[in-house]
Amino acid sequence: MNTNPSNIMALTSNTSNKKETVCIFGTGDFGRVLGCKMIQSGYSVVFGSRQAQTSSLIPKDAEVLSHAEAAQKAAIIIIAIPRQYYNFLTPLAEILHGKVLVDVSNNLKLNQYSQSNAEYLAQLIPGAKVVKAFNTVSAWALQSGPLDASRQVFVCGDDKKAKQIVMDIVRALGLTPLDQGSLLAAQEIENYPLQLFPMWKFPIFLSLGLTAFFFFYSLTRDVIYPYVYENKDFSFFIAISIPNRICPIVALILLALVYLPGVLAAIIQLYRGTKYSRFPDWLDKWMLCRKQLGLVALAFAFLHVLYTLIIPIRYYVRWRMNSGVLSQALNNRTDPFINTYGWLNDSYLALGILGFFLFVLLGITSLPSVSNSVNWREFRFVQSKLGYLTLILCTAHTLVYGGKQFLNVSSYRWYLPNAYMLSLIVPCIVLVVKFVLVFPCLDKPLTQIRQGWERNPRYSEQSNYIINKSAV
């Protein structure tokens, strides 16, 4: 049996003021910054390097030794080197036996290897306790501090005590550890930093698709049609008028799409009579990206506000106003003030202002720093009740803007309705279905279902059996 004193060092957290010694294999950017942060947090740090000599880049309070000598001084060893160089650890297997090895490596592309780096390390040194951590934090983030970067550090490992030790180190550095379970989760954790906005892909691609569609749709109606039939060149509409038409349309549709999956989920639960049956995968993914959909919608709403603010200084607008005044003066007439139009115009603006205010409020409460400061009931009230109120106000804003144009045949150019009419389809469907679901005859059983009641328990048991069997 191995009786090396370095192998029987305590693996539990040190309760004294002086923390245990941590060894770091690798003197690259990440290893050096991590070592510096650990020294600042009270840990003794020893670096293991091929060249056992101190460099000006190494923190002055750290010691630099060979890999074997450094490993003998600590029970926790952070492997801050790429996977392709792990083979040098094989001769150190006896020294590393029983120690906690923290794998911080990342790959260059998704699923680069069939086996995660952490699992490969555990297979290479079977006697060690491998924990995956710190790979989602960059050297810049560590150096800048948690206020300038994400505080979350994903941690996984098969040994609970070893994992707890690493999580204590994470907390000591001012970061927040998130336990992801066993080492089987390492592959997913290693893929995470390589994904470019994983939860934002669908919202961004959808918004780009809607923007492209409504751009060409508006271009056809507002630029090409007048040029063909009236010989008028309105190509300058492409700069301001068309974008200011597209932004509110896309914002309204995306806002409606935030609440549409919730309505669909309610219908499915009413139909099945239970909440213990899994939703379709497409609906699950849709519901997971609702926050991102809402934030993209808010961005388009902000653009609409900015475009609207510059309307009075546009040359085309000033020319139309001056032409209207001169026309009245030359014809010796004054257009009468119509009180109805005044009400419609002010109501349209008021609804837009209130809708945008609540829209911004929804965006603020979705920020982690704000959502973490409110309880579940308060967050649900803002995101659900005020969210639907925002959708109602924005939909009413669009309806009042259109007025009677629905009935005006001349507004249908090439039989194409105005673009804002198309934007009302999804919001109106969501609001109508939600209004129906509020009826007591539907709301009461839906509430009971969400509290655990089942119409047909056998159906639920059968569905759960099928889900569990497929998972196995």
Side-chain angles (χ1 to χ4, degrees), residues 245-469:
R245 193 165 292 137
I246 293 172
C247 288
I249 290 173
V250 176
L252 182 58
I253 293 176
L254 292 179
L255 179 62
L257 292 177
V258 171
Y259 295 97
L260 181 57
V263 171
L264 295 176
I267 295 174
I268 292 174
Q269 288 179 335
L270 283 171
Y271 173 76
R272 294 175 175 175
T274 179
K275 71 172 186 178
Y276 299 108
S277 183
R278 188 173 181 176
F279 292 127
D281 289 339
W282 58 268
L283 185 57
D284 274 335
K285 294 177 181 178
W286 189 353
M287 295 181 74
L288 288 174
C289 67
R290 286 181 295 178
K291 173 183 174 181
Q292 288 76 13
L293 277 171
L295 291 175
V296 173
L298 180 59
F300 276 92
F302 261 113
L303 285 176
H304 173 51
V305 171
L306 294 176
Y307 276 121
T308 303
L309 290 175
I310 66 171
I311 285 178
I313 63 175
R314 292 182 61 199
Y315 169 76
Y316 174 69
V317 174
R318 289 188 284 111
W319 173 81
R320 287 191 61 180
M321 292 177 62
N322 294 334
S323 297
V325 173
L326 288 174
S327 176
Q328 291 185 55
L330 292 174
N331 294 325
N332 195 23
R333 64 178 177 83
T334 301
D335 293 338
F337 177 80
I338 302 175
N339 194 57
T340 303
Y341 289 165
W343 267 105
L344 287 173
N345 185 261
D346 285 1
S347 300
Y348 152 73
L349 294 173
L351 290 168
I353 292 171
L354 291 175
F356 181 69
F357 170 76
L358 292 179
F359 214 149
V360 173
L361 183 62
L362 291 175
I364 293 174
T365 54
S366 67
L367 298 174
S369 58
V370 179
S371 60
N372 292 337
S373 63
V374 297
N375 59 40
W376 174 84
R377 189 177 183 85
E378 293 168 342
F379 181 79
R380 185 169 178 265
F381 171 78
V382 173
Q383 293 295 325
S384 180
K385 301 296 189 295
L386 293 186
Y388 274 107
L389 180 58
T390 304
L391 183 59
I392 291 172
L393 291 174
C394 293
T395 304
H397 170 69
T398 308
L399 284 169
V400 175
Y401 165 78
K404 297 181 180 180
Q405 291 189 36
F406 291 98
L407 306 176
N408 189 355
V409 178
S410 62
S411 66
Y412 292 83
R413 298 176 175 177
W414 278 330
Y415 302 101
L416 298 175
N418 205 308
Y420 80 89
M421 298 182 188
L422 300 180
S423 71
L424 290 169
I425 296 175
V426 179
C428 288
I429 290 174
V430 172
L431 292 175
V432 169
V433 176
K434 181 63 178 178
F435 177 74
V436 173
L437 291 174
V438 171
F439 288 169
C441 60
L442 294 176
D443 182 63
K444 186 176 180 180
L446 181 60
T447 303
Q448 291 176 338
I449 288 171
R450 288 175 173 173
Q451 290 176 347
W453 176 80
E454 297 177 84
R455 186 190 309 122
N456 186 2
R458 291 183 180 179
Y459 173 78
S460 176
E461 291 174 5
Q462 184 180 4
S463 300
N464 289 333
Y465 171 76
I466 294 173
I467 293 173
N468 293 333
K469 187 177 179 180

Side-chain angles (χ1 to χ4, degrees), residues 96-116:
L96 299 177
H97 183 84
K99 295 182 182 292
V100 178
L101 302 186
V102 184
D103 178 58
V104 302
S105 64
N106 280 318
N107 295 320
L108 297 177
K109 57 184 180 180
L110 289 170
N111 301 316
Q112 184 173 356
Y113 304 100
S114 59
Q115 190 180 37
S116 69

